[in-house]
Amino acid sequence: MRKFWPHSLLAALTLATSSGCNSTVNQDELRPALLTEPSQQEVAALVAKALNTEEVNVGEEVFMQKSSLVLDSPPFTDAQGNPLMGKQLEMPQRFMLLTDGELCYLQHLNSEQLLPAPTLSCR
Amino acid sequence: MDFTMTTQLIKPLLISALSASLLACGGDGSFDGGDGGTSSGWTQGVFAPSSQFKGQCNALDEKNWLRSWSNETYLWYDEITDRDPASIVGVIDYFNTLKTNATTASGAAKDNFHFSLPTDEYQKMQESGAVMGYGFNFKLLRSAPPREVVVSYTEPDTPASAAGVRRGWEIVAVNGVDMINSNDVDALNSALFPSTKGVQTDFTFKLVGSNEERNITLTTGEFIQDPVMNVSTIATNTGNVGYVQFNDHNAPAERQLYDAFNQLAGSNISDLVIDMRYNGGGYLAMAAQLGYMVAGAENTSGLIFEKTIFNDKYPTTNPVTGSPLTPYPFIDEYIAFDPDSGISEGTKLPSLNLERVFVLSSSNTCSASEALINGLRGIPAARGFEVILIGGNTCGKPYGFYPTDNCDTTFFTIQFTGVNHAGFGEYSDGFAPQNTPNAELAPVYVQGCAVADDFTHLLGDKNEAMLAAALSYRTSGVCPAPTTAAGLKGYAVQSSASEMGVSLSDNRWQTQLKNNRVVTPLPKELN
């Protein structure tokens, strides 16, 4: 699978560890990953943490077929049935599942934050 | 456009709306000098920075925040009547006053888009394009008795498509409850707008063009909708005509549009019909990509697709992100809304290099879809590009928001609009084909034909009324007589509020829209 970002970006990634400390990730070891088994709830919890929100909804097949996850706000509509957010200037919330061959990581592309994902099993 | 330019354009978009905060406080920089938390601190026309009140979760400071925030970022801040925050008790009630009362040329309210939501609901994000349902979309042609609810199209690989449900079928009962006349709105809404997967619902459909009914049990599921459908080529005596049904400017659509236009580019297309009758918008950058893919480099090079305009306090800076305002060009590169779609960011987009495009429209053609129409209409006449509109009056929403949180409520107030290369952006009554017989609105009339949605034919069928009119007008320049849905199938298009009894609505997403709640439900069309 291809990499979708320049090395310069990976070099700048910050790893938010469970201890709250930051360290630099070895960029050469990270590659896009898939889950070895469906992990809907675990992914939802990690993503919610990354977004500093209480709850997100992800599908059962999240990260099973592709390494990306793109999130939008719920499809609230106006009285005419048209989307509230019909003209959006900002990018959606985008995540990539990565692995260094041993551990899984969740990368939030919008913030360039890299979260360890010890509850996930990657391939 | 080179890669650097794309990066410059998109970079500001990377800033999360959820975490957006005001980086600059507008106004005249004056400060009321008081604590702003009491009525005695209010001085008409004098505004403290909203940051002073942000997160101060008592009613008066919440209203003070709304007042200052609106003065800083509302597009028509100078049309707000400044009221003492202490004079109105409810926070939301006060928010509801913080908008213009002006009307459009038709007499319609200038601002129809003023909302608030509980923040925890707005932040409950989901996968782009995901829906809970049966796999069919529908329109509430008449939401109160005698109701008319008709399938608009089905999604592939869903329970509905597997069961053979098709466009034009009318839903006459759900779980034995009469869809047309029953007052059991809760039962009808819960069936039409499910929020739980695995729920079985017994539907009774009336088939197209007959009184035959069919009972089908469908089970709810969660699936990703196809934003791009029915990509095809129609052979005519005057060349091939491409057709694409485009339903949503969302992340999955980018790859599907890329594939669709590559397919059409290889099909010797001389004209294109983009069916956006059910496209309520989405990412503006995707509309700019689509504009390029339709018109090509020769028609669009050096042009602005849309210039975003905030209020006059911020002529050069986005007041929410703090970024410089950079006009959207016609974007000729893949953005990679989905970073693992299989196409790399920066990949050159295909283009059909057409001299005109036919857009199929309805009242659900909204926002970014209208921006596409407006962006293409902004191409200078010397380049000779035409937009031809076939269908109905579009929704009229050139505006946008940055939803902003304070004290567990997310507020939507109009903060920006947009203009095309010619500087035009006033279409708050929508765009309408030139022969539209409509005295109620004052739309921007566009070359084309008024045609009602034809539920007797599948979308993409060359005999479907809108597509047929496009094909006919393409060669003759003559429109068929304006039609209504009633004329095509016996469905009323809409009914007036005075006719309303007990209306249906999508309670999953609408009942929390506090400023959008109406005592007498208004008719609406849903997909």
Side-chain angles (χ1 to χ4, degrees):
Chain A
M1 190 176 290
R2 252 179 339 97
K3 288 187 175 181
F4 294 99
W5 52 84
H7 277 221
S8 58
L9 173 59
L10 267 184
L13 288 177
T14 298
L15 174 64
T17 65
S18 57
S19 66
C21 302
N22 292 333
S23 62
T24 302
V25 176
N26 185 340
Q27 64 186 49
D28 294 330
E29 294 181 358
L30 287 176
R31 58 179 171 79
L34 299 173
L35 294 175
T36 59
E37 59 184 2
S39 306
Q40 182 182 24
Q41 299 306 320
E42 291 85 352
V43 171
L46 284 165
V47 169
K49 180 182 177 184
L51 294 174
N52 193 29
T53 188
E54 291 186 3
E55 182 181 350
V56 299
N57 296 320
V58 300
E60 293 174 347
E61 293 297 303
V62 61
F63 293 139
M64 291 299 293
Q65 306 297 327
K66 62 180 184 178
S67 302
S68 61
L69 172 64
V70 183
L71 297 176
D72 284 324
S73 298
F76 290 101
T77 55
D78 62 22
Q80 285 68 46
N82 293 317
L84 287 194
M85 294 298 291
K87 184 187 273 190
Q88 299 189 55
L89 305 182
E90 76 284 0
M91 289 286 274
Q93 298 295 327
R94 305 186 304 159
F95 293 87
M96 285 290 291
L97 184 68
L98 306 175
T99 183
D100 59 4
E102 293 184 9
L103 301 176
C104 297
Y105 299 88
L106 190 66
Q107 182 194 9
H108 183 209
L109 274 65
N110 304 60
S111 65
E112 300 180 1
Q113 186 180 27
L114 190 67
L115 296 169
T119 58
L120 302 180
S121 174
C122 291
R123 55 189 167 96
Chain B
M1 184 178 61
D2 63 23
F3 179 73
T4 303
M5 190 168 178
T6 300
T7 304
Q8 289 173 341
L9 174 70
I10 300 305
K11 267 290 185 182
L13 309 183
L14 293 173
I15 295 175
S16 162
L18 290 175
S19 60
S21 60
L22 290 174
L23 301 180
C25 297
D28 53 9
S30 60
F31 175 58
D32 63 7
D35 61 9
T38 65
S39 59
S40 60
W42 174 73
T43 303
Q44 190 167 34
V46 178
F47 299 88
S50 63
S51 56
Q52 176 180 336
F53 308 110
K54 180 81 172 177
Q56 305 298 312
C57 299
N58 62 80
L60 190 56
D61 279 342
E62 289 179 48
K63 288 181 282 186
N64 275 320
W65 176 82
L66 285 166
R67 173 176 175 264
S68 292
W69 173 68
S70 299
N71 180 259
E72 290 160 0
T73 70
Y74 185 57
L75 183 61
W76 304 293
Y77 69 92
D78 53 352
E79 296 179 25
I80 295 174
T81 300
D82 188 21
R83 296 177 173 87
D84 184 348
S87 68
I88 297 174
V89 175
V91 173
I92 301 301
D93 290 338
Y94 187 70
F95 172 64
N96 292 342
T97 70
L98 295 171
K99 64 174 189 174
T100 180
N101 290 316
T103 57
T104 68
S106 69
K110 184 175 175 180
D111 183 353
N112 284 316
F113 309 103
H114 203 67
F115 311 105
S116 60
L117 288 164
T119 297
D120 59 350
E121 291 197 16
Y122 183 68
Q123 290 188 348
K124 203 175 293 181
M125 306 195 82
Q126 62 182 44
E127 287 190 58
S128 184
V131 294
M132 179 73 70
Y134 309 96
F136 66 78
N137 301 275
F138 58 90
K139 293 196 77 161
L140 288 173
L141 295 178
R142 190 179 172 96
S143 61
R147 299 186 190 89
E148 290 169 307
V149 183
V150 61
V151 175
S152 53
Y153 62 97
T154 57
E155 300 283 344
D157 304 320
T158 61
S161 58
V165 176
R166 60 156 283 174
R167 171 177 167 82
W169 286 12
E170 184 180 0
I171 302 171
V172 295
V174 291
N175 294 325
V177 179
D178 178 4
M179 177 64 73
I180 298 171
N181 294 308
S182 173
N183 288 333
D184 191 353
V185 175
D186 289 343
L188 298 176
N189 276 335
S190 64
L192 286 177
F193 306 105
S195 54
T196 307
K197 65 181 177 182
V199 176
Q200 287 192 333
T201 302
D202 299 325
F203 286 92
T204 302
F205 294 99
K206 188 169 80 173
L207 307 192
V208 178
S210 77
N211 288 321
E212 181 185 349
E213 294 186 350
R214 187 168 299 175
N215 297 316
I216 295 177
T217 299
L218 298 173
T219 303
T220 58
E222 192 171 45
F223 54 91
I224 305 294
Q225 290 183 307
D226 266 358
V228 179
M229 306 173 79
N230 295 320
V231 182
S232 61
T233 301
I234 302 166
T236 76
N237 292 333
T238 51
N240 290 339
V241 178
Y243 172 88
V244 57
Q245 179 189 341
F246 180 34
N247 303 322
D248 197 335
H249 294 68
N250 62 11
E254 186 181 28
R255 174 61 193 268
Q256 295 185 24
L257 285 172
Y258 179 87
D259 290 342
F261 276 77
N262 270 318
Q263 176 184 328
L264 294 169
S267 302
N268 194 25
I269 297 298
S270 58
D271 272 311
L272 176 67
V273 178
I274 305 178
D275 193 339
M276 297 203 297
R277 74 185 77 180
Y278 304 132
N279 192 323
Y283 297 108
L284 182 63
M286 190 171 293
Q289 290 178 306
L290 182 54
Y292 168 80
M293 289 191 282
V294 169
E298 192 169 331
N299 280 324
T300 63
S301 63
L303 301 184
I304 291 170
F305 175 78
E306 178 160 311
K307 179 182 178 184
T308 302
I309 295 176
F310 289 83
N311 70 38
D312 60 11
K313 298 175 182 177
Y314 301 96
T316 59
T317 305
N318 181 322
V320 180
T321 67
S323 302
L325 284 179
T326 306
Y328 280 77
F330 287 80
I331 298 174
D332 62 359
E333 294 179 352
Y334 201 80
I335 293 171
F337 289 91
D338 179 345
D340 192 12
S341 68
I343 305 295
S344 299
E345 177 184 345
T347 299
K348 186 81 169 179
L349 296 176
S351 175
L352 300 180
N353 302 306
L354 298 171
E355 298 302 320
R356 62 181 180 180
V357 66
F358 296 79
V359 174
L360 308 188
S361 63
S362 78
S363 61
N364 294 124
T365 306
C366 207
S367 298
S369 296
E370 294 175 297
L372 174 70
I373 295 168
N374 196 48
L376 289 170
R377 281 170 52 83
I379 295 175
R383 300 194 187 188
F385 190 87
E386 294 179 309
V387 177
I388 300 156
L389 198 61
I390 307 289
N393 202 129
T394 66
C395 89
K397 191 177 178 184
Y399 314 115
F401 326 88
Y402 278 88
T404 304
D405 312 334
N406 193 46
C407 297
D408 299 326
T409 300
T410 298
F411 297 94
F412 300 70
T413 197
I414 291 176
Q415 291 162 313
F416 61 86
T417 186
V419 297
N420 62 19
H421 188 78
F424 180 78
E426 288 298 323
Y427 52 88
S428 55
D429 275 5
F431 295 100
Q434 61 193 4
N435 66 338
T436 300
N438 188 341
E440 294 182 1
L441 296 174
V444 175
Y445 288 102
V446 178
Q447 177 187 184
C449 308
V451 182
D453 205 350
D454 173 11
F455 294 102
T456 66
H457 294 90
L458 297 178
L459 298 175
D461 182 336
K462 64 182 180 183
N463 294 312
E464 188 277 321
M466 283 193 204
L467 180 52
L471 295 172
S472 172
Y473 186 85
R474 171 179 172 268
T475 53
S476 69
V478 176
C479 291
T483 54
T484 65
L488 288 170
K489 193 171 164 48
Y491 292 134
V493 177
Q494 284 192 354
S495 49
S496 68
S498 62
E499 296 176 286
M500 292 292 105
V502 183
S503 294
L504 301 180
S505 61
D506 186 350
N507 292 330
R508 296 171 304 181
W509 310 122
Q510 285 208 340
T511 54
Q512 298 303 322
L513 294 175
K514 294 179 179 175
N515 193 46
N516 203 33
R517 195 174 287 161
V518 287
V519 177
T520 302
L522 296 174
K524 65 190 186 72
E525 298 178 32
L526 289 181
N527 300 329

